[in-house]
C-alpha cells in the first residue's frame, strides 16, 4: 500500500487499500518495468512513500496487421487460451495504430488445506478468468500522439469451501484511459485521464448449529487526471 504502481504512467493501485490486481496485467504485453527505489512522494504523491513501479506495455511499430494465438494446459486441468492482433498503417512513428489482446483461463483448482484438515465442506478452489485489452492511437510524429485504451477483466475464484453454495470471490473490472503526449521546443508533457469501475462480489458461509451466509456486492469507482510537464 506504500508503493505506487503505474501502468504507462497511470496509477493502478486501489484507493481503498492500495492493493493492485496483478492478474489484470498480461505478462506477454509488457515491454519493460521501471523501478524507482525510495520515497517519491514529492513527485508522485503520498502513495509513493515506499517507491514507484512503472509497467510499460508494448506499442505497435510494424506496418500492416500481425497477430498470434496460443493454448496452454497444466496441472489441475488448467486450460488457457490467448490471442493477439495488432498493427499500424505506416511504418515507424507516424499514423494510426491499434492492438487487441485477450486471454482466458479456467482451472478445476486444488484442495488448499492438508489432508488432516479436510472436512465434508472442503472443495477445490476453482478458477475462471477473462482479460480483454484494446488500444487505438495516432502518432502525429515521434513526440506527439493520442491514445485510447479499454480493459475488461472478469474473474471468479473459489475459496475452497462449500456448505450450501460454493464460496467465491468475483471481480468485474472496467478500465478506460485517454492520453496525450506532446513536445514543443524544450517543453514536453503527458496528459492522461482514466476511469476504473470494479464490481467486487464475495460469498461467505458459516455452518454449525445455525447456517449463516454473507453476500458482499461492492461497487468501486475511481477516476483521475494526471499532467506531467517538464522542460529540458
Amino acid at each position: 500500500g506504500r508503493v505506487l504502481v503505474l501502468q504507462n504512467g497511470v496509477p493502478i493501485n486501489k484507493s481503498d487499500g492500495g492493493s493492485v490486481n496483478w492478474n489484470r496485467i498480461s505478462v506477454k504485453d509488457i515491454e519493460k518495468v521501471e523501478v524507482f527505489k525510495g520515497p517519491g512522494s514529492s513527485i508522485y504523491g503520498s502513495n509513493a512513500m515506499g517507491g514507484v513501479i512503472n509497467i510499460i506495455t508494448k506499442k505497435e511499430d510494424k506496418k500492416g496487421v500481425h497477430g498470434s494465438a496460443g493454448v496452454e494446459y497444466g496441472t489441475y486441468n488448467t486450460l488457457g487460451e490467448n490471442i493477439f492482433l495488432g498493427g499500424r498503417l505506416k511504418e515507424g512513428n507516424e499514423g494510426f495504430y491499434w492492438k487487441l489482446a485477450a486471454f482466458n483461463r479456467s482451472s478445476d483448482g486444488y484442495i488448499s488445506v492438508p489432508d488432516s484438515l479436510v472436512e465434508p465442506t472442503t472443495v477445490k478452489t476453482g478458477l475462471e478468468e477473462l482479460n480483454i485489452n484494446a488500444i487505438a492511437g495516432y502518432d502525429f510524429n515521434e513526440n506527439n500522439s493520442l491514445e485510447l485504451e479499454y480493459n475488461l477483466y472478469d474473474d471468479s475464484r473459489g475459496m475452497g469451501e462449500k456448505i450450501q453454495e460454493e464460496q467465491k470471490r468475483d471481480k468485474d473490472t472496467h478500465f478506460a484511459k485517454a492520453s496525450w503526449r506532446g513536445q514543443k521546443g524544450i517543453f514536453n508533457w503527458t496528459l492522461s485521464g482514466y476511469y476504473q469501475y470494479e464490481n467486487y462480489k464475495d460469498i461467505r458461509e458459516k455452518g454449525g448449529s445455525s447456517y449463516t451466509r454473507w453476500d458482499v456486492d461492492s461497487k468501486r469507482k475511481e477516476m483521475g487526471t494526471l499532467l506531467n510537464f517538464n522542460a529540458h
Side-chain angles (χ1 to χ4, degrees), residues 86 99 108 119 127 151 167 169 232:
K99 178 172 65 175
D108 292 343
E119 298 181 356
L127 165 68
N151 176 256
Q167 300 181 31
R169 286 179 177 173
H232 61 83

Side-chain angles (χ1 to χ4, degrees), residues 3 25 31 33 40 47 51 55 71 108 127 141 149 161 198 213 231:
V3 175
I25 303 172
E31 177 70 27
V33 178
N47 286 350
I55 301 169
V71 177
D108 292 343
L127 165 68
N141 52 50
E149 178 181 359
E161 188 173 3
E198 180 185 82
R213 170 172 167 168

Side-chain angles (χ1 to χ4, degrees), residues 26 28-29 58-60 65-70 82-87 98-103 133:
S26 176
K28 297 181 180 180
D29 197 35
K58 298 176 182 177
K59 183 177 179 179
E60 292 304 301
V65 178
H66 52 277
S68 63
N82 64 81
I83 186 172
F84 171 85
L85 290 172
W98 62 279
K99 178 172 65 175
L100 176 64
F103 69 82
N133 195 66

Side-chain angles (χ1 to χ4, degrees), residues 92-153:
N93 298 309
E94 291 188 359
F96 175 78
Y97 64 91
W98 62 279
K99 178 172 65 175
L100 176 64
F103 69 82
N104 181 70
R105 186 170 57 166
S106 63
S107 176
D108 292 343
Y110 55 91
I111 301 297
S112 58
V113 298
D115 293 341
S116 59
L117 298 179
V118 171
E119 298 181 356
T121 58
T122 302
V123 295
K124 294 181 179 179
T125 56
L127 165 68
E128 295 282 346
E129 68 174 343
L130 170 68
N131 190 337
I132 301 174
N133 195 66
I135 292 177
Y138 190 89
D139 288 328
F140 298 97
N141 52 50
E142 183 178 358
N143 299 312
N144 293 272
S145 64
L146 292 172
E147 184 175 279
L148 300 175
E149 178 181 359
Y150 171 74
N151 176 256
L152 166 66
Y153 181 77

Side-chain angles (χ1 to χ4, degrees), residues 4-14 20 24-25 34 44 47 52-57 147 149 175-180 190-196 222-228:
L4 178 64
V5 181
L6 308 172
Q7 185 172 355
N8 298 321
V10 174
I12 58 176
N13 301 75
K14 298 177 184 179
V20 175
R24 195 171 67 80
I25 303 172
E34 300 174 339
Y44 294 98
N47 286 350
V52 180
I53 300 172
N54 189 22
I55 301 169
I56 308 297
T57 58
E147 184 175 279
E149 178 181 359
F175 177 84
K177 183 191 74 173
S179 61
W180 172 32
T190 301
L191 176 63
S192 300
Y194 66 94
Y195 173 83
Q196 179 171 265
E222 301 179 34
M223 61 192 74
T225 302
L226 300 171
L227 173 62
N228 294 322

